[in-house]
Structure formats: structure tokens, C-alpha cells
Amino acid sequence: MRIGVFDSGLGGLTVVQAMTQVIKGAQIFYVADTKNAPYGEKTPEQILQYSLNITKYLVKTHQIDALILACNTATSSAIQHLRETYPSLIIIGTEPGIKPAIEQTRTGKIGVLATPATLQGDKYQTLAQTLSSQKSVDIFEQACPGLVEQIEKGEMDSDVTKGLLEKWLAPMRQNNVDTIVLGCTHYPLVGQSIEKIMACNVSLIHTAEAISKHLLTLGTQKGHLNEGDLQVHIHTTGEIHMHVVESLIGAYENIYFIDVENN
Ligand code: DGL
């Protein structure tokens, strides 16, 4: 199985990391669109165009069988269009795990951290309204502008990053939130800081493992045997910080620079 995975930057590698635990005998072609990051502060039209450019590149150059949108923001703006354009591809997106959060919470108060574009998108609004009407919970939503840039720079533990998180998490701490949805694939990289700031038993919800298992199920239905080595090839459209890559998937040598706008 040839699997294309993309994100605005390195955050989607948190999904690749989970995939390496589940998927075997496949090739992963990862695209970090760092030239256009952060997606979360762009318009839905821009995010759709970036997603279409990358998918076209992955289909043409790497003949992928499956596409993983390892980005909540791109899923919100582009997944429907991509499914219509590429009906024969397995296409799996990433959505904030509100459902598991609602199932797990004991205080009935959950937090959602995501990019501005994800929280404003119809997809998230519909999901949150539908699920919160089924069980009475209070949802504390927080957009986190600037956080993706900090993470891309490798500044997971800097004072600036911690200051941003403290400000955003204060209302959640004061209101007894016990479950926080990480609605952006970059945010698991600051998961430990979030746990420390919440200073209590908070559960962090991310969906990378569920995505990987879903891919295995759909791949198996199409004849994927899941045996043998897994290879990961990383491509980027701009600057990338190697130590962030290595902290996620271990020592890594070849990063390919690509231009997906002219393919
Ligand atoms: N990892 C992307 C997501 O899950 C980050 C979006 C961004 O670049 O702002 O939404």
C-alpha cells in the first residue's frame, strides 16, 4: 500500500508515529507544507487549494492508494472536495475527538483546543452541536493562534509557549475540565506542558491511533497484507526543523524539498 499523508507542517508526524505502530509492509509519503503553514489562520479557499495541490502531487508522483489528511484544519476545508475528486482513493481525515471526550468526562466539562479555522468550520460546529445535544456537557473551546508556529520552531518548552498555554488553559482549570481534546495534530507535542498546567488528572484526547486502525481496516478490505517493512519518506515545501522530525520518528536522513504548486 502506498500511503500519502500531509499536514501544514510537522504536526502530522504525530499521526505517522501512530501509523508506525499499526501499519506494516507499506510506503508512507509524507508532505509537510511548511511553506504555507499555519493553515489554521488561512481562509477555507486557500486551505482547499493547498490540499488539492498536495494531493495531485501525491497521486501523480507517488501513485498513492490511500490519503491521510493528518490535519484537522485541512480536513475541515477540503475532505469533501477531495473525496469527490478522487473517488477511488481511500481518504481518511482527522477530526477533533469530541465523541470520546464526551464519553470519558466525569465532571461533564470538556475542553477543545484547535486552530481558529477548525473551530469556525461548519464541520466542527455541526459535530459539537450534535454530540453535545445527546449528553449534557459544557464545552470550553479555545482557538490557539500562534501555537503551531511555536511548535514548528521546536519551541515546545519555551516561556512564550508556556505563557500562551497558561492563558488559554486558565478558564478550563477554573471550571474543572477533566478531558481536553487536542483538535490539531501539532498539539500532542505540547501535551506534557498541558498536563502540567492543568495540575490534575486531565485526559488528553487525540485520534492518531484510531486513524491508523481505520486505515488498516480499509486497506485490508482492498487486499493489503500488512506484512514486511514500513518505509517513511518525508517531503517538505519549505523550512523544516530536523530535531522535531527526529523527536517524533527517530533518526532520519533524507528530506526531499518539493514544489507542489507547479505539478
Ligand atoms: N496540524 C494542523 C491541524 O491539525 C495544524 C494547522 C495549522 O497549520 O494551523 O489542524
Side-chain angles (χ1 to χ4, degrees):
M1 181 158 58
R2 300 170 73 84
I3 309 161
V5 182
F6 79 89
D7 178 40
S8 63
L10 297 173
L13 287 176
T14 58
V15 179
V16 172
Q17 192 184 37
M19 287 166 70
T20 63
Q21 307 301 308
V22 176
I23 305 289
K24 296 188 195 108
Q27 298 217 51
I28 293 177
F29 301 92
Y30 184 84
V31 176
D33 192 12
T34 56
K35 184 180 167 196
N36 295 309
Y39 280 7
E41 289 154 61
K42 302 288 188 325
T43 65
E45 292 74 22
Q46 286 174 306
I47 300 163
L48 174 60
Q49 193 56 55
Y50 303 146
S51 304
L52 283 167
N53 290 348
I54 294 168
T55 306
K56 189 170 164 204
Y57 162 79
L58 287 166
V59 168
K60 262 177 69 178
T61 310
H62 299 294
Q63 294 87 41
I64 54 167
D65 310 296
L67 176 73
I68 309 297
L69 285 73
C71 176
N72 294 260
T73 312
T75 302
S76 172
S77 297
I79 197 162
Q80 199 180 331
H81 197 107
L82 289 172
R83 285 195 168 126
E84 284 161 15
T85 312
Y86 296 97
S88 63
L89 274 188
I90 293 173
I91 300 186
I92 301 175
T94 311
E95 284 185 61
I98 308 179
K99 192 162 183 243
I102 290 179
E103 282 161 10
Q104 278 182 34
T105 179
R106 278 165 284 112
T107 59
K109 319 252 182 204
I110 70 168
V112 180
L113 301 174
T115 67
T118 297
L119 290 178
Q120 282 155 21
D122 292 343
K123 220 170 167 36
Y124 171 80
Q125 293 289 336
T126 310
L127 183 72
Q129 270 161 26
T130 311
L131 292 174
S132 59
S133 67
Q134 289 163 9
K135 185 176 163 189
S136 148
V137 283
D138 291 327
I139 303 182
F140 294 79
E141 289 161 2
Q142 179 62 59
C144 306
L147 186 54
V148 163
E149 288 97 313
Q150 288 300 108
I151 295 169
E152 285 292 324
K153 283 191 280 185
E155 294 200 14
M156 314 343 169
D157 290 320
S158 74
D159 289 344
V160 175
T161 306
K162 284 185 194 153
L164 288 170
L165 288 170
E166 266 161 25
K167 181 179 75 180
W168 291 325
L169 293 170
M172 298 191 195
R173 211 169 53 183
Q174 281 150 19
N175 285 284
N176 218 8
V177 163
D178 67 349
T179 310
I180 296 182
V181 176
L182 302 180
C184 169
T185 52
H186 282 75
Y187 300 170
L189 292 163
V190 289
Q192 281 180 356
S193 299
I194 294 172
E195 281 167 346
K196 231 184 249 168
I197 292 167
M198 291 304 286
C200 63
N201 276 341
V202 69
S203 302
L204 302 183
I205 309 281
H206 39 99
T207 49
E209 197 188 329
I211 291 167
S212 309
K213 288 183 177 161
H214 189 41
L215 173 62
L216 180 58
T217 305
L218 297 186
T220 305
Q221 283 167 7
K222 287 203 167 185
H224 173 64
L225 296 176
N226 216 43
E227 288 165 2
D229 290 342
L230 178 75
Q231 288 175 5
V232 181
H233 311 276
I234 299 183
H235 307 75
T236 181
T237 59
E239 206 190 329
I240 208 163
H241 287 267
M242 278 313 288
H243 67 282
V244 182
V245 175
E246 288 176 356
S247 71
L248 281 160
I249 59 164
Y252 194 84
E253 275 168 24
N254 293 327
I255 300 273
Y256 304 95
F257 285 89
I258 54 166
D259 174 5
V260 294
E261 275 158 39
N262 302 299
N263 73 87

